[in-house]
Amino acid sequence: MPGTNLTREEARTRADLLHVDAYDIELDLSSAREGGTFRSTTVVRFTATTPGAATFIDLVAPSVEEITLNGERLDEANFADSRIALPNLAAENELKVVANCAYTNTGEGLHRFVDPVDGETYLYTQFEVPDARRVFASFEQPDLKASFAFTVTAPEGWVVVSNSPTPTPAGDGPTRTWTFEPTGRISTYITALIAGPYVGVFDAYENGDQKVPLGVYCRPSLREFLDADAVFEVTKQGFDYFQEKFDYRYPFAKYDQLFVPEFNAGAMENAGAVTLRDQYVFRSKVTDAAYEARAATILHELAHMWFGDLVTMEWWNDLWLNESFATYAEAVCQAEAPGSRWPHSWTTFANQMKTWAYRQDQLPSTHPIMADINDLEDVQVNFDGITYAKGASVLKQLVAYVGQDAFFEGVRAYFKRHAWGNTRLSDLLGALEEASGRDLKAWSKAWLETAGINVLRPAITLNTDGEIESFTVLQEAPALPAGAKGEAVLRPHRIAIGLYELADGALVRTDRIELDVDGPRTEVPQLVGRHRPAVVLLNDDDLSYAKVRLDEDSLAVVADHLGDFTDSLPRALCWASAWDMARDGEMAARDYLALAVSGLGRESDIGVVQSVHRQVKTALDAYADPAWREQGLTRWAETAEAQLRAAEPGSDHQLAWARTLAAVARTEEQLGLLAGLLDGSVELKGLAVDTELRWTLLGRLAATGRADEAAIAAELERDNTAAGQEHAATCRAALPTAEAKAEAWASVVESDKLTNYVQEAVIAGFQQADQRELLAPYAAKYFAAVKGVWETRSHEISQQIIVGLYPSLQVEQATLDATDAWLAAAEPAPALRRQVIEARAGVERALKAQAADRAAGARALGH
């Protein structure tokens, strides 16, 4: 039985048979305040190439009241297993389906949320990948595009937003009805409906005779924090940049951005009605890195209006075309758009996106960028670091290979040729080949159709005068992880080599050489006979996608002077290289800590600082020798306190170090400082102990037993908002008692009542690195429950549990053995298996890194 799955072959067969013209969808949401179900009426008109043939339409709903095909009432038994069987099609068909569909609390389909501040109900849809069928009957695949006309009945006083401009509602009494104009031809997964007493701020993008209405919405309880002008500013910069680069006007009638509650992703590119997680409406002080991340998300979704919405992949194996392009577009727009606040976006890209890609590409589930997607379960676990970050990295390299002008010339032709249609990879590559005159087939095979990551190392020999006698770039192709498909390959790379010297305490680039690297050895004769610089940096400017290593002499200089590079990008590349070495066991966790302690005080890029903070905590919790770990954590906590006290008052760095101290404080004095900041008995000049920071402080105090249920309840009374309730759930689950752990486990695993966000919050509190002994009994419970979770919960909810509750803190061979025994006996579905083996790989990597750290400690003691 297919259940909610759909195979690629089924989709192909259905696409060959059908052409879908239009949907008329009526939704009665007058029951929204009570919850339960809502009435959904769908009329869909479509043609069939083979009259008399049979097919099916998708629907996930508690019940169906009517199925009428071409005037003939079908038996309700035709609705089974999330499909409605459609027999004996005519050449032209009209289908009517009346169903009772369910509101959800999982962030899938039509999500229902009640704001504890005002008691009001707020709805929004999230349909990617296959969840439009939870709201209306639909042919749920991206290549069966159609026009959609929504008619929505909802409570009086509400706002209703969809893909088309919002009409004036009609009616009187307790409800109103909104009748939206039909959309252009779009895929089911980018249709949208947002309804509730949201509040909006409005503007317009104007360019000559073009005027696009803009709206930004949120809940009234967040209105005081909504900086709509900043959102509009970034949006308009994106409109200017993308329309110029794409030479194609924004294709929809308006552009609304709606900050919605309990959103599973960062945002979703619904055509003309983008939804974003409302954590991007900042209730408290955040660093500039958070504003940069929000701007990147805004630009990412705006780029999708062309790449993904106007032109859409035929099937999900080309998902990377959507996501990689949008990820590349967000970075290049921030780097180049006039007036951008973040022209250093490629530093952020190198430090965050590529780190994500490198991690994903070393897991047993690694796959080519152009993944083999057999069914919907495959694609739902494929929104990963390869689809987004590696793909975008490779696109950046492709731009360097063909030239930016030729790249965008090809993109322009692609949009004009395929507007409102569906495409495959070959369509884009064909347009780029025409524009650039280059044959991209070999490039595609090497970069898009193979998995794994290359490593580049410099091999330098010097003569007796200290001059370079030979310089070789060595390329390695480490074997793919066990279980991964395919073979490791060497690839062609376009890289730059940066030469850096120390001058007045700063590391300054004195020369740059750009070249092609291909095969296992590439000689660099341009450097022969030159004085050896202080630092040699391969892949300077981050042109290619590869792990980079520093030679021994360069690494020694960087260890003392990483913060002294005058530019942020080479610093970010060195930080990334060091972190990758720590993950690979080539740099001991204690040495990575020493590098962070030495270099972070001089690191000006706040995004890099916060990334390294997270990485140090991971290194200490997972990669450090357990016998030395407490010593390392103590040093890191002392560093965090010292940096906090030394930071410029009110600065981003002060806030970042405060949050880091709150993650690792351990001594009575440090915990006393947190408690003093929380109760106001201690003040640090410039540090605003606002709502979010208060919860951060309380979380650590709860996890260490310094705060109890009464303290959590008191803080919740101060902040009885949705976010406050989630923070309180985290604090309660973090309490260091067997009772707290049992209650948290039961609420997540043994019950399905929690919303997606509260469940996520409980899991975050449950998994505390300082509570390994308390958590040890739950390893066996995990393996006893995980398959049942997969089989009975929705995708988003089950993934939170499968990944979040895996015993990753039990870094020992017994965890690997238990995982292997479960994999052998449970016969998990491929998507479930993938999630578990990815989690297993984290423990295996941690064991190897701990051994490397243990060996480093022994060497330091002379053993």
Side-chain angles (χ1 to χ4, degrees):
M1 301 289 282
T4 54
N5 204 3
L6 174 74
T7 69
R8 177 172 51 190
E9 290 308 312
E10 287 177 314
R12 283 176 177 166
T13 299
R14 191 162 62 174
D16 288 342
L17 176 64
L18 303 182
H19 176 85
V20 187
D21 297 310
Y23 290 81
D24 288 309
I25 300 158
E26 296 183 14
L27 303 174
D28 184 353
L29 306 180
S30 57
S31 63
R33 290 194 174 106
E34 293 74 39
T37 62
F38 59 93
R39 188 178 181 87
S40 168
T41 302
T42 304
V43 176
V44 56
R45 291 176 293 279
F46 60 97
T47 60
T49 58
T50 308
T55 190
F56 61 91
I57 195 167
D58 305 285
L59 178 68
V60 178
S63 64
V64 166
E65 294 186 5
E66 177 187 342
I67 307 169
T68 301
L69 178 61
N70 299 328
E72 180 181 346
R73 188 79 173 251
L74 301 183
D75 194 292
E76 291 176 16
N78 280 45
F79 173 50
D81 209 27
S82 302
R83 296 178 175 187
I84 299 173
L86 303 177
N88 194 28
L89 297 177
E92 296 186 2
N93 300 273
E94 182 175 285
L95 171 70
K96 180 180 181 181
V97 177
V98 181
N100 295 308
C101 295
Y103 301 103
T104 73
N105 65 357
T106 66
E108 302 153 300
L110 183 58
H111 184 86
R112 177 179 176 272
F113 168 86
V114 178
D115 192 334
V117 174
D118 58 16
E120 287 282 4
T121 299
Y122 298 84
L123 308 176
Y124 66 86
T125 56
Q126 170 57 20
F127 290 159
E128 190 176 37
V129 175
D131 288 322
R133 57 188 171 163
R134 295 182 184 272
V135 175
F136 57 91
S138 62
F139 297 108
E140 192 76 282
Q141 58 191 77
D143 57 342
L144 288 178
K145 285 187 166 184
S147 172
F148 294 83
F150 287 94
T151 300
V152 181
T153 299
E156 187 274 333
W158 276 25
V159 170
V160 179
V161 176
S162 186
N163 306 99
S164 300
T166 299
T168 301
D172 53 24
T175 62
R176 296 289 184 271
T177 298
W178 287 257
T179 302
F180 290 86
E181 290 295 317
T183 68
R185 289 186 63 81
I186 58 177
S187 300
T188 54
Y189 78 93
I190 56 171
T191 59
L193 176 69
I194 302 92
Y198 290 92
V199 292
V201 181
F202 304 98
D203 201 341
Y205 170 75
E206 299 185 47
N207 184 358
D209 63 350
Q210 181 188 23
K211 184 174 183 178
V212 180
L214 306 177
V216 173
Y217 295 80
C218 69
R219 290 176 282 140
S221 60
L222 291 175
R223 176 64 184 89
E224 64 179 295
F225 308 111
L226 179 63
D227 50 343
D229 288 345
V231 174
F232 286 135
E233 180 182 14
V234 172
T235 303
K236 291 177 183 180
Q237 288 173 354
F239 264 86
D240 281 339
Y241 186 83
F242 293 145
Q243 289 195 149
E244 188 271 325
K245 291 297 183 184
F246 300 161
D247 191 28
Y248 197 107
R249 280 194 172 190
Y250 171 73
F252 302 104
K254 51 88 178 180
Y255 194 66
D256 290 324
Q257 296 174 89
L258 303 105
F259 293 94
V260 297
E262 299 184 329
F263 198 71
N264 285 325
M268 177 61 203
E269 67 268 20
N270 311 307
V274 168
T275 43
L276 304 97
R277 58 169 47 220
D278 63 12
Q279 287 92 334
Y280 281 133
V281 180
F282 302 120
R283 302 192 308 156
S284 299
K285 177 179 171 60
V286 295
T287 68
D288 191 59
Y291 288 101
E292 181 184 2
R294 183 180 69 179
T297 301
I298 289 169
L299 295 171
H300 182 103
E301 306 310 323
L302 180 58
H304 270 311
M305 296 300 112
W306 290 266
F307 216 109
D309 292 6
L310 175 67
V311 182
T312 312
M313 75 231 147
E314 181 178 291
W315 177 245
W316 297 102
N317 54 297
D318 280 323
L319 172 66
W320 82 274
L321 276 179
N322 282 8
E323 300 303 346
S324 298
F325 185 91
T327 303
Y328 170 78
E330 78 189 40
V332 73
C333 180
Q334 283 186 304
E336 298 182 359
S340 170
R341 275 180 56 188
W342 300 282
H344 62 280
S345 61
W346 289 121
T347 296
T348 304
F349 184 87
N351 181 252
Q352 296 179 12
M353 276 292 173
K354 280 199 163 178
T355 297
W356 180 25
Y358 295 156
R359 175 187 175 276
Q360 190 80 45
D361 217 359
Q362 296 174 84
L363 291 172
S365 57
T366 187
H367 58 83
I369 294 172
M370 186 179 174
D372 188 20
I373 301 296
N374 295 308
D375 55 29
L376 292 180
E377 290 183 357
D378 276 354
V379 71
Q380 285 180 311
V381 294
N382 226 49
F383 286 80
D384 60 18
I386 293 175
T387 298
Y388 283 77
K390 181 179 179 179
S393 303
V394 167
L395 279 182
K396 184 184 180 188
Q397 176 163 290
L398 176 61
V399 172
Y401 180 56
V402 302
Q404 190 181 88
D405 290 345
F407 177 79
F408 280 116
E409 182 183 342
V411 167
R412 294 179 193 118
Y414 174 81
F415 287 141
K416 291 180 174 65
R417 193 173 300 162
H418 301 288
W420 306 106
N422 296 85
T423 59
R424 301 177 181 180
L425 169 64
S426 56
D427 296 309
L428 177 62
L429 291 184
L432 294 175
E433 286 181 332
E434 291 172 16
S436 67
R438 290 181 178 270
D439 185 342
L440 297 178
K441 296 179 183 61
W443 178 89
S444 173
K445 185 172 181 60
W447 281 104
L448 304 181
E449 301 170 36
T450 61
I453 186 170
N454 300 135
V455 181
L456 302 180
R457 301 178 189 269
I460 308 170
T461 61
L462 305 178
N463 61 25
T464 55
D465 296 326
E467 295 174 338
I468 297 174
E469 192 169 74
S470 68
F471 191 109
T472 308
V473 179
L474 305 178
Q475 181 181 185
E476 303 164 7
L480 298 183
K485 297 179 181 178
E487 296 182 358
V489 296
L490 298 176
R491 299 184 179 91
H493 300 263
R494 184 71 178 176
I495 71 165
I497 300 175
L499 310 181
Y500 291 83
E501 294 286 7
L502 278 167
D504 298 323
L507 274 171
V508 180
R509 188 164 72 183
T510 57
D511 203 355
R512 175 187 184 275
I513 297 169
E514 193 168 319
L515 72 158
D516 292 315
V517 169
D518 203 354
R521 298 176 61 87
T522 301
E523 303 296 333
V524 188
Q526 302 97 310
L527 294 177
V528 173
R530 300 177 59 161
H531 172 75
R532 196 233 134 81
V535 174
V536 177
L537 181 58
L538 299 187
N539 200 29
D540 202 10
D541 294 327
D542 201 30
L543 299 182
S544 191
Y545 173 83
K547 293 168 42 161
V548 170
R549 296 294 183 255
L550 297 168
D551 67 277
E552 187 175 343
D553 291 342
S554 295
L555 184 59
V557 174
V558 165
D560 293 331
H561 296 280
L562 200 159
D564 295 327
F565 282 98
T566 54
D567 295 320
S568 63
L569 184 52
R571 291 198 307 269
L573 294 174
C574 288
W575 282 118
S577 178
W579 173 235
D580 191 68
M581 291 173 70
R583 294 188 72 249
D584 283 356
E586 295 182 31
M587 175 182 285
R590 64 193 67 203
D591 293 334
Y592 184 72
L593 171 63
L595 182 67
V597 170
S598 165
L600 277 179
R602 290 167 289 169
E603 177 55 66
S604 60
D605 189 293
I606 189 62
V608 172
V609 168
Q610 290 179 280
S611 290
V612 176
H613 284 180
R614 292 189 294 269
Q615 290 159 358
V616 169
K617 184 67 164 59
T618 298
L620 293 171
D621 287 343
Y623 301 156
D625 175 9
W628 175 84
R629 179 184 293 126
E630 186 59 34
Q631 182 180 337
L633 285 166
T634 298
R635 185 183 182 194
W636 183 233
E638 291 170 349
T639 299
E641 182 179 357
Q643 292 288 350
L644 168 62
R645 294 184 182 279
E648 180 184 347
S651 66
D652 284 356
H653 286 67
Q654 183 189 47
L655 177 59
W657 282 109
R659 290 185 170 278
T660 292
L661 178 61
V664 296
R666 47 213 328 98
T667 66
E668 284 301 311
E669 292 77 12
Q670 290 164 353
L671 293 169
L673 173 58
L674 301 190
L677 290 169
L678 186 61
D679 66 22
S681 61
V682 175
E683 292 185 7
L684 293 177
K685 184 180 179 181
L687 182 65
V689 184
D690 52 23
T691 303
E692 291 295 324
L693 184 55
R694 290 185 63 85
W695 281 114
T696 301
L697 298 170
L698 182 61
R700 183 60 180 166
L701 294 171
T704 54
R706 288 286 297 259
D708 57 13
E709 169 58 35
I712 298 169
E715 194 63 31
L716 181 58
E717 188 174 349
R718 292 173 58 106
D719 181 34
N720 192 15
T721 63
Q725 292 179 358
E726 293 150 17
H727 287 309
T730 297
C731 290
R732 290 185 177 116
L735 291 169
T737 67
E739 293 77 14
K741 298 305 174 187
E743 184 177 345
W745 180 272
S747 70
V748 170
V749 179
E750 298 167 14
S751 170
D752 62 356
K753 303 305 181 186
L754 299 183
T755 69
N756 55 336
Y757 265 38
V758 175
Q759 175 177 285
E760 184 178 48
V762 171
I763 290 171
F766 180 86
Q767 293 278 44
Q768 295 290 320
D770 294 336
Q771 299 172 0
R772 288 179 177 84
E773 291 185 10
L774 202 56
L775 296 174
Y778 289 94
K781 292 182 179 182
Y782 173 89
F783 292 112
V786 66
K787 188 173 183 182
V789 166
W790 169 258
E791 292 173 344
T792 59
R793 307 291 186 90
S794 75
H795 169 74
E796 289 288 347
I797 293 296
S798 65
Q799 183 167 260
Q800 281 184 4
I801 298 171
I802 293 160
V803 176
L805 290 181
Y806 181 84
S808 56
L809 293 172
Q810 309 303 320
V811 180
E812 52 195 44
Q813 185 61 41
T815 303
L816 301 183
D817 294 341
T819 307
D820 293 339
W822 180 85
L823 288 168
E827 298 181 347
L832 171 58
R833 179 182 179 84
R834 170 176 170 166
Q835 292 173 75
V836 173
I837 65 169
E838 285 186 350
R840 180 196 184 280
V843 172
E844 185 175 37
R845 177 178 290 274
L847 280 170
K848 292 178 180 177
Q850 286 183 7
D853 190 58
R854 189 178 302 113
R859 287 194 299 272
L861 293 173
H863 295 167

